[in-house]
Amino acid sequence: MMMMNIDRFISARKSRGLSQAELCEGICTQATLSKFENSGKAPAIRILTQLCARLNLTLDDVFPVNPPAQSKANHLLDAAEFTLITSEYEAAKKRPGPGHF
């Protein structure tokens, strides 16, 4: 299931001072936009693309490639990798250098 970031969309609309009616003018009905913002019922991709363009958003902003759960997993993997790298560095730092027996 694809996750949507509707809050980002709504935030962008409100930060530009646009009402639903103003945003959807010439693109779709206010009812279509309201269904999207309130219940996540995404309109046709053509409509959503136009709405996003009006808000200077991309579809990636509304449908993030890395949903939060995946981002959290990536963060945990990055932290584990960092720990391994730094622990190996500490072990290597304690070894005698060349010429030290």
Side-chain angles (χ1 to χ4, degrees):
M1 180 178 170
M2 188 175 283
M3 296 182 62
M4 287 189 289
N5 192 347
I6 297 172
D7 291 337
R8 174 117 189 247
F9 181 91
I10 294 169
S11 243
R13 177 178 63 77
K14 289 182 178 182
S15 73
R16 285 168 179 72
L18 294 172
S19 68
Q20 286 184 342
E22 291 168 327
L23 174 60
C24 66
E25 188 177 325
I27 297 174
C28 65
T29 65
Q30 184 176 351
T32 298
L33 180 56
S34 181
K35 286 178 189 172
F36 175 60
E37 288 190 355
N38 294 316
S39 64
K41 185 177 184 319
I45 196 72
R46 174 188 58 77
I47 291 171
L48 188 55
T49 301
Q50 290 176 6
L51 293 171
C52 285
R54 194 167 276 178
L55 295 174
N56 293 321
L57 294 174
T58 66
L59 289 179
D60 288 340
D61 293 326
V62 179
F63 297 99
V65 176
N66 291 318
Q70 187 176 359
S71 295
K72 184 177 181 180
N74 287 342
H75 177 72
L76 291 172
L77 287 170
D78 289 345
E81 181 181 34
F82 178 78
T83 301
L84 285 171
I85 291 169
T86 55
S87 67
E88 289 174 11
Y89 171 78
E90 290 299 321
K93 194 166 79 171
K94 293 177 184 174
R95 290 188 193 140
H100 294 103
F101 296 97

